[in-house]
Amino acid sequence: MYLRKGPFPAVALAVAGLLLTGCAGAGGEAAPVAAQRSAGAAGGPSAVGRFGPGGQTVRAQEIPFLGPQTRAKISRATQQAVVVVGEGPDSNRSTATLYERIPGLGWKAVSEPWPAHNGLRGWTYDHETADHRTPIGVFGLTDAGGKLPDPGTRLPYDQEAAFDAPGTGFEGEPLKGSFDHVVAINYNREPGTTPLDWTRPLGDEKGGGIWIHVDHGGPTQGCVALKLERMKELLVWLDPAKQPVVVMGDAAALRR
């Protein structure tokens, strides 16, 4: 069961706050989808290998497009990664690919690159409330919820009518249904609580309420958005025993 800490406004008001501070609302470009698909299946060699038939060294595969600084932020215990690659530092379009770490072999793509939206103004290393940019980095995925019933996830799932998204987005598109399913991204939040929890360890000025949620057809306030069917696939795939993370940023940032 989720624990809600501290005094909070009514849940409906909390979600309204998320609309304002988080969800719904040097460059370089990501590789073309076809190239990502090919590289994602093959991966890239790492410096750590194992012995294959005949004693030759077989190198473990790394996640393509990630540089050494980004890879170093992924725990050795992590076996699932959602990799979101933005088209550019100021772009609100990106792709998301699921990767799983296979013991002795390394990382393998287990999905096609999925089209996604991110923050209206792109990406940032220093997210602040209402900057309309998505935080760059590696963040845990521990908690889920939504207005609709749990589709079968192994994450804790908080179903509440308060996961409501009224109004319209930046391009005039309706936001209704955006929070039917969400996965909280552990940026400036307390892991192990409902996505509706209002705790902000870094302070309110650093924003929060950054989720993966259902795409409403336009840029977000700072979240990552996927089509409804992809959200269901993601929720069913995520396994807390594999310590899943999201690795996200524009292509140039992730190559560092």
Side-chain angles (χ1 to χ4, degrees), residues 124-175:
T124 180
Y125 286 105
D126 188 21
H127 180 68
E128 295 183 352
T129 297
D131 67 3
H132 298 157
R133 291 183 179 271
T134 302
I136 296 169
V138 178
F139 306 99
L141 301 173
T142 55
D143 307 284
K147 192 171 185 177
L148 296 183
D150 178 359
T153 187
R154 284 166 283 189
L155 297 180
Y157 189 93
D158 182 21
Q159 182 187 1
E160 290 203 33
F163 282 99
D164 195 22
T168 57
F170 291 110
E171 298 178 351
E173 74 281 8
L175 299 179

Side-chain angles (χ1 to χ4, degrees), residues 64-119:
F65 314 117
L66 301 188
Q69 293 181 31
T70 304
R71 291 199 304 267
K73 295 175 183 177
I74 303 174
S75 167
R76 290 179 180 271
T78 290
Q79 296 173 275
Q80 290 183 330
V82 183
V83 180
V84 182
V85 182
E87 292 183 357
D90 301 318
S91 173
N92 55 57
R93 293 184 178 273
S94 47
T95 60
T97 307
L98 309 185
Y99 286 87
E100 191 135 1
R101 198 195 310 250
I102 310 300
L105 296 177
W107 290 98
K108 179 181 179 180
V110 294
S111 79
E112 298 290 317
W114 297 340
H117 277 103
N118 52 271

